[in-house]
Amino acid sequence: GIVPSRADKMASIAVDKGLGKLGSISDFYRELEPDRIAEHLAIVAKAEIRDVVEQIMQQENPQLWHDLPPVLKEAVHSRVQQQLPAVVRSITEQIGENVDQLIDAKLMVIRYFVAHPELLNELFLLMGKKELRFMQNFGFYFGVPMGFVLFAILQYFPHWYVLPVGGVIIGWVVNYLGIAMIFEPIRPTKWCPWQQGLLIKRQSEVTELYARMVADKVITLQNIGDELLGGPRSDRTLQMLENTLRPAVDRAIGPARAAVRVAIGTKEYDQIRNSVALEATQFAPIAFADA
């Protein structure tokens, strides 16, 4: 089909003419309620964080973790759980502040529609259902009388070229008038029999359908999450996570940070911070996938 086969161009135009004028990706991100994302992400992380701490410590410094008394281990877990909401909130705030650099909105929409060309068909069919039916019917109601006119002309000019030339003219005029009636005039006018373009007359209904399509299928939390963590700029997201989580680890340890560095070594300490950042990226897809 013409529409799905040109999904990339159609999506590009949709962004330039529509989404690009409605707001930036940071505007859309704010509408997704980052505070609620943070709360949900904290809940998801809270269920898994104990196992993550165990896994990181077993991986990075198994002897230290093994020798640590149970009371101190529980103190570590408790400290992490206590710090978790603030850490997660700082992550979502950092995403919001840098989302324009982390996501190319135009590329995200193009990639999504190219992967789901059936949605472009759905968009056209939902928004222009009545107009497509009008074009179909208009071709009949206008074409049939013109066919009789052409037949009458043929009686007076019985030449071989009358039918093909007349057919081309009628076909072109029918299509031109049908399309013009759908989109013109833009503003209501008394001199025009149909007063305003048929599609524009339904602008409240059409924009509602367009908004639902965009909100429910395109600019969704899951798609933004996929783009953040798997898109062409995902390396920037991972770097931002690491930069945000390194000081968060320091804050979680608190006043004992210097003592911990001495006890386990600077290199091991830095490796643990990097592991925390790496493991944290596993929570985001789970949270972003929840509608």
Side-chain angles (χ1 to χ4, degrees):
I2 293 171
V3 171
S5 69
R6 305 181 72 195
D8 52 348
K9 186 168 185 179
M10 295 281 188
S12 177
I13 293 170
V15 175
D16 291 338
K17 300 294 184 183
L19 295 179
K21 295 181 180 181
L22 294 175
S24 65
I25 192 68
S26 59
D27 295 326
F28 285 114
Y29 181 76
R30 281 195 294 274
E31 292 298 323
L32 293 172
E33 300 177 89
D35 289 342
R36 291 188 64 192
I37 296 173
E39 290 171 12
H40 179 62
L41 190 54
I43 292 170
V44 171
K46 197 171 184 179
E48 306 285 340
I49 197 69
R50 189 180 185 90
D51 291 339
V52 169
V53 171
E54 292 278 350
Q55 179 182 332
I56 290 173
M57 293 307 298
Q58 290 285 0
Q59 177 182 312
E60 302 300 338
N61 206 317
Q63 190 59 48
L64 172 67
W65 191 245
H66 181 267
D67 294 341
L68 213 61
V71 175
L72 287 181
K73 284 185 180 180
E74 284 305 315
V76 170
H77 286 303
S78 176
R79 179 76 179 178
V80 170
Q81 295 275 7
Q82 181 186 347
Q83 294 286 320
L84 191 60
V87 172
V88 170
R89 191 170 297 279
S90 70
I91 290 173
T92 53
E93 286 174 358
Q94 283 294 312
I95 290 175
E97 290 173 13
N98 299 282
V99 72
D100 286 315
Q101 285 74 48
L102 302 176
I103 291 179
D104 184 329
K106 184 173 183 176
L107 191 58
M108 180 184 83
V109 174
I110 290 172
R111 287 175 63 215
Y112 185 76
F113 275 124
V114 168
H116 303 86
E118 70 280 359
L119 285 180
L120 271 176
N121 279 352
E122 187 179 335
L123 185 64
F124 273 82
L125 291 170
L126 279 174
M127 290 175 58
K129 185 176 181 180
K130 293 181 180 179
E131 287 67 38
L132 290 170
R133 190 185 304 121
F134 164 78
M135 281 292 293
Q136 176 183 312
N137 295 337
F138 184 75
F140 176 79
Y141 291 123
F142 189 86
V144 169
M146 289 301 98
F148 283 108
V149 171
L150 182 61
F151 179 75
I153 293 172
L154 192 61
Q155 304 308 307
Y156 294 97
F157 300 95
H159 303 293
W160 65 269
Y161 54 80
V162 172
L163 277 179
V165 172
V168 167
I169 293 172
I170 290 172
W172 188 89
V173 170
V174 166
N175 288 334
Y176 177 83
L177 287 177
I179 293 172
M181 290 173 70
I182 290 173
F183 298 106
E184 299 290 342
I186 294 174
R187 305 288 178 189
T189 54
K190 293 181 179 179
W191 57 265
C192 182
W194 54 93
Q195 294 188 340
Q196 190 179 19
L198 302 178
L199 182 68
I200 302 171
K201 274 184 181 178
R202 296 196 306 118
Q203 56 185 306
S204 58
E205 180 184 347
V206 169
T207 49
E208 172 75 16
L209 292 169
Y210 182 73
R212 286 193 179 280
M213 168 70 78
V214 171
D216 295 344
K217 302 285 180 70
V218 185
I219 309 292
T220 64
L221 188 57
Q222 183 174 2
N223 290 343
I224 287 179
D226 290 344
E227 193 70 16
L228 281 170
L229 300 167
R233 298 182 181 178
S234 58
D235 56 328
R236 298 184 189 182
T237 306
L238 297 177
Q239 187 63 52
M240 186 218 69
L241 278 173
E242 290 179 16
N243 294 341
T244 304
L245 286 167
R246 284 195 188 99
V249 172
D250 294 336
R251 288 196 301 272
I253 294 173
R257 179 168 47 132
V260 172
R261 273 186 178 275
V262 172
I264 67 175
T266 300
K267 184 179 178 182
E268 286 78 6
Y269 179 83
D270 290 341
Q271 185 61 41
I272 288 173
R273 287 201 308 179
N274 292 337
S275 296
V276 169
L278 188 64
E279 291 293 333
T281 60
Q282 297 180 14
F283 298 136
I286 300 171
F288 285 147
D290 188 322

